[in-house]
Amino acid sequence: MSRRSLLIVGLLAVLWTAAAPAGEIKTHYWPSAPIPLEIASIPVVMDVGYWIKIVNQNAFIKLKQKSINTYEGCTDLQIRCNVDLAMSCSISPTGTVKGTYSCSIVGPNINVPGGTMAVCAMLKNPDLVSHPGGTTNLQVATVTIRVVPRSL
C-alpha cells in the first residue's frame, strides 16, 4: 500500500471514530472494575406557572357605623406571589340587609414576592327595619377578590 493510501485510510479511521454519535460508547474492554462511564447529559427544563396565595384567608370585614346612613369596614390581606399583580374586587349582597353596597382595595398593585393590601366594604342607606337591634355578625355581603398579572 502506498503512503497516500495509508494516509487516506488513517484519516477515514479518525473521522469514523470522531463521528460516533453522542450517547454511544464503543470500547473493546471496560476500564478496570465496572465503573459507570458518562455517555450523555440531558437538560431538564420546566415552565414556571403563576403562583398567588392569600396567606390569611380567614379574614373578614366587619362593618361599623360611620354616620347615620353609612357603614364601613376594612381588612388587611397578606399576599404571596411570583408575579406582579393588579387586584380588584366586587361585592355581592346576601339580601339580608338591603342598601347600596360597594367595595374598594387600598394598594391594589402587589409586586413580587408579595405584600399587604386593604380590602374595604361600604354599605349606604341600609334598611334595618327587618332585623332586631343587638344582632351580631350577620353576614350581609360577600367580597370577591380578582387578580390579573401585570407583567404579561
Side-chain angles (χ1 to χ4, degrees), residues 117-133:
M117 67 175 196
V119 180
C120 299
M122 181 184 290
L123 170 59
K124 288 188 175 184
N125 301 318
D127 180 9
L128 301 175
V129 173
S130 61
H131 296 285

Side-chain angles (χ1 to χ4, degrees), residues 6 24 46-47 69 80 99 121 125 142:
L6 270 171
E24 183 177 333
M46 70 179 279
D47 295 336
N69 288 321
R80 304 283 302 151
N125 301 318
T142 300

Side-chain angles (χ1 to χ4, degrees), residues 137-151:
N137 295 327
L138 177 66
Q139 184 174 354
V140 295
T142 300
V143 172
T144 301
I145 305 296
R146 289 186 173 74
V147 60
V148 64
R150 285 187 290 135
S151 60

